[in-house]
Amino acid sequence: MAGGAFVETGEMKSYAGKVTLFVVFTCIVAATGGLIFGYDIGISGGVTSMDPFLIRFFPSVYRKMHADRSQNQYCKFDSQLLTTFTSSLYVAGLIASFFASTVTRTFGRKPSMLFGGLTFLVGAAVNGAAKDVAMLIIGRILLGIGVGFANQSVPVYLSEMAPAKLRGALNIGFQLFITIGILAANLVNYGTNKIKGGWGWRVSLALAAVPAVIMTVGALFLPDTPNSLIERGHQERAKQMLQRIRGTTEVDEEFQDLIEASESSKQVKHPWANIVSRKYRPQFVMALVIPFFQQLTGINVIMFYAPVLFKTIGFGNNASLMSAVITGVVNVVATLVSVYCVDKYGRRFLFLEGGIQMFLCQVVIGVILGQKFGLSGTGSLTKSEANLVVFFICAYVSAFAWSWGPLGWLVPSEIFPLEIRSAGQSINVSTNLLFTFAIAQAFLAMLCHFKFGLFFFFAGWVLIMTTFIFFFLPETKNVPIEEMILVWRKHWFWGKVLPEDDEMVEMQKPKTSA
């Protein structure tokens, strides 16, 4: 059945129009919503490796960190209070994403982005001024609400604005800005750690206001998507916007398809109930499985705790922060590779290549750490061995950054029909944040107990997810977003799952055979 996973999608519609400067600009502005998520991912691990921050808020961790090397290196940072600080954001984001779904569908994608940016801005101010752990966590919860709204609305906005042939590249702009946010945070941490007086961590946390302002101001100037305008009854404005973003007045065919999709969506009064029906089973499964697998790659473990991880395996404080900067640069560059390749070679190719590369890197890292630290967790790395670990971590990060990183957001955002799109994206975001929270909360304890086996744990999951993609994810490149149902209909497995009497499929079948 393996060959059947490679679906020929047949002759899909090719709408008139060109790639306009206007649509590229609006997609870049919208994609800056990824900055707030990326900055937070990068900043958290950095400040939790700074001595003044730990002394003030987590003194028990500080004492363990400065214990002699005869103690278990894997368990230095094992503190539930410390991981609660990091992961509280993701619980807030999970809950917020469900409210964001209603806002996005009722009022449009733009208000969700605006609200997300403003809430993140307030959270940054609270964290920068924090006097105790409770204040830190309140700030993190506000940041989480902002992330929940941004992650729910931005990928949907990008998929709806972009033409089919460039939807992958423009949507990956969101992931690109996540990686830029991570890199910026790593650079900020490296700089603020050198500030005398022990208040550099305040600067790191407060500077989260910068990406929040960028996103908020950008959202003020963004236009609504044609899909959203039609969904809210503004058909004339929707047609004008479609003409503007496609750069032509010959948009009647695409506009009519959007109208029909909107009419179908109005028949669905309860998208949350309908999304679990057999008609939407492939999309529902992907909305759950892809973000679940994305977190079980182990990437956020690396990005959250890169400085902590490097410190654990023997790097000094500044060296560990610089190593995190190096992985941040690799992350950005590799995401640019994905921007170039995704619409040329397709989603499946990047998923499969990235999965194989991540698997091999995690196995190698696990073997090196196992040999040097063993089960006792005592030992150290030579300079050459430490550099080898950094190399394989960078190779792992690059594989993620051109595969599961961007595609984990792109694929779920492009596969849902309009009637369940907001609900589907909320499930995607909430699943992502739920498992981000679970892994962030558990990682330091898992590192303490699993030791070097943690890397084999994630490698096993990467093997499972790569196999799943090979058999169950059809290729979606260059398929118009409102034609996506045909891809599932032609798939060897999902074609058997979908009901035979799907009238919408019959209406949308191409008139010419492949």
Side-chain angles (χ1 to χ4, degrees):
M1 284 292 192
F6 295 86
V7 177
E8 292 296 330
T9 58
E11 189 175 318
M12 295 294 177
K13 291 182 181 178
S14 179
Y15 298 123
K18 58 186 179 181
V19 179
T20 62
L21 186 61
F22 176 74
V23 78
V24 172
F25 177 75
T26 55
C27 285
I28 290 173
V29 172
T32 59
L35 285 173
I36 66 173
F37 193 29
Y39 187 86
D40 179 79
I41 290 172
I43 216 69
S44 302
V47 295
T48 53
S49 72
M50 294 181 184
D51 287 351
F53 180 81
L54 292 174
I55 291 169
R56 184 180 182 97
F57 297 107
F58 307 99
S60 64
V61 175
Y62 175 79
R63 287 192 295 270
K64 281 197 290 185
M65 188 178 74
H66 288 274
D68 64 71
R69 286 193 177 276
S70 64
Q71 294 196 17
N72 192 327
Q73 299 295 299
Y74 294 117
C75 299
K76 278 183 173 184
F77 290 87
D78 184 17
S79 164
Q80 282 303 304
L81 187 61
L82 179 61
T83 51
T84 298
F85 158 72
T86 301
S87 56
S88 55
L89 178 148
Y90 301 99
V91 175
L94 186 160
I95 296 169
S97 67
F98 290 104
F99 292 97
S101 171
T102 301
V103 172
T104 301
R105 186 174 188 185
T106 307
F107 301 104
R109 289 58 171 143
K110 180 175 171 178
S112 280
M113 287 186 259
L114 186 61
F115 181 77
L118 288 171
T119 310
F120 198 90
L121 183 60
V122 175
V126 172
N127 268 353
K131 297 183 182 299
D132 52 36
V133 174
M135 200 168 171
L136 276 179
I137 292 175
I138 289 170
R140 295 285 293 170
I141 289 170
L142 290 169
L143 295 177
I145 294 171
V147 166
F149 272 80
N151 287 9
Q152 202 280 337
S153 53
V154 172
V156 170
Y157 183 94
L158 294 171
S159 286
E160 290 181 346
M161 288 294 277
K165 61 185 176 183
L166 273 186
R167 187 176 60 246
L170 292 177
N171 192 293
I172 286 174
F174 178 67
Q175 176 68 17
L176 177 62
F177 276 100
I178 290 177
T179 64
I180 291 171
I182 293 170
L183 175 59
N186 291 335
L187 291 169
V188 167
N189 282 333
Y190 185 73
T192 58
N193 190 53
K194 296 178 180 294
I195 294 176
K196 304 297 182 184
W199 50 272
W201 62 268
R202 289 194 184 277
V203 177
S204 290
L205 294 177
L207 283 177
V210 175
V213 168
I214 292 172
M215 176 181 170
T216 304
V217 173
L220 288 173
F221 295 97
L222 286 176
D224 278 314
T225 69
N227 311 64
S228 179
L229 288 168
I230 292 170
E231 194 174 25
R232 292 179 288 128
H234 306 296
Q235 292 194 7
E236 192 56 40
R237 286 173 56 195
K239 188 169 186 178
Q240 292 171 359
M241 180 54 60
L242 189 61
Q243 290 171 340
R244 189 176 184 189
I245 64 177
R246 298 294 180 254
T248 179
T249 57
E250 298 177 7
V251 296
D252 289 344
E253 184 180 16
E254 183 175 4
F255 183 68
Q256 188 57 41
D257 284 347
L258 294 180
I259 293 288
E260 290 175 5
S262 179
E263 291 301 318
S264 295
S265 75
K266 289 175 183 176
Q267 306 302 315
V268 178
K269 301 299 182 185
H270 305 288
W272 290 103
N274 278 271
I275 199 170
V276 299
S277 68
R278 186 178 172 189
K279 179 179 179 181
Y280 304 117
R281 190 65 47 78
Q283 297 94 325
F284 179 65
V285 170
M286 293 301 166
L288 290 172
V289 170
I290 288 179
F292 168 72
F293 280 152
Q294 187 190 49
Q295 294 313 306
L296 283 170
T297 60
I299 186 61
N300 279 340
V301 167
I302 299 295
M303 290 306 177
F304 285 149
Y305 298 113
V308 171
L309 182 63
F310 287 129
K311 217 170 184 180
T312 296
I313 61 177
F315 287 73
N317 198 28
N318 283 334
S320 68
L321 289 170
M322 178 50 70
S323 299
V325 170
I326 292 169
T327 58
V329 171
V330 170
N331 201 14
V332 172
V333 173
T335 303
L336 289 171
V337 172
S338 185
V339 170
Y340 173 77
C341 293
V342 68
D343 290 314
K344 187 172 184 180
Y345 299 110
R347 284 69 161 149
R348 283 175 50 82
F349 171 80
L350 292 176
F351 265 132
L352 296 173
E353 191 285 331
I356 293 169
Q357 186 170 324
M358 284 190 293
F359 173 79
L360 295 174
C361 290
Q362 285 167 322
V363 170
V364 171
I365 294 168
V367 168
I368 293 172
L369 296 185
Q371 288 180 336
K372 300 306 294 185
F373 292 98
L375 293 174
S376 67
T378 58
S380 61
L381 295 174
T382 65
K383 184 177 180 180
S384 61
E385 289 166 342
N387 288 337
L388 189 63
V389 170
V390 172
F391 171 80
F392 278 105
I393 285 177
C394 287
Y396 161 80
V397 168
S398 67
F400 176 86
W402 61 54
S403 62
W404 279 92
L407 300 181
W409 294 105
L410 167 61
V411 172
S413 74
E414 69 181 356
I415 61 176
F416 292 105
L418 184 61
E419 62 267 23
I420 58 166
R421 191 166 298 154
S422 291
Q425 183 64 8
S426 283
I427 291 172
N428 176 43
V429 171
S430 60
T431 304
N432 187 298
L433 293 175
L434 174 63
F435 286 99
T436 302
F437 163 76
I439 291 174
Q441 189 70 18
F443 167 66
L444 292 178
M446 290 172 70
L447 180 61
C448 181
H449 293 93
F450 281 32
K451 303 176 174 57
F452 63 89
L454 185 62
F455 290 92
F456 297 132
F457 171 81
F458 286 121
W461 278 107
V462 169
L463 182 61
I464 291 169
M465 65 186 72
T466 303
T467 303
F468 176 87
I469 292 296
F470 182 79
F471 284 106
F472 297 110
L473 183 71
E475 183 56 67
T476 57
K477 74 167 183 174
N478 298 332
V479 180
I481 196 167
E482 305 304 341
E483 295 270 300
M484 201 65 69
I485 185 64
L486 300 176
V487 173
W488 303 107
R489 174 64 64 180
K490 293 170 183 284
H491 188 267
W492 73 270
F493 178 79
W494 298 117
K496 300 172 186 175
V497 172
L498 290 171
E500 293 295 332
D501 58 346
D502 192 337
E503 294 179 6
M504 183 174 69
V505 172
E506 294 302 320
M507 288 190 298
Q508 292 189 10
K509 279 185 178 177
K511 293 183 175 64
T512 56
S513 57

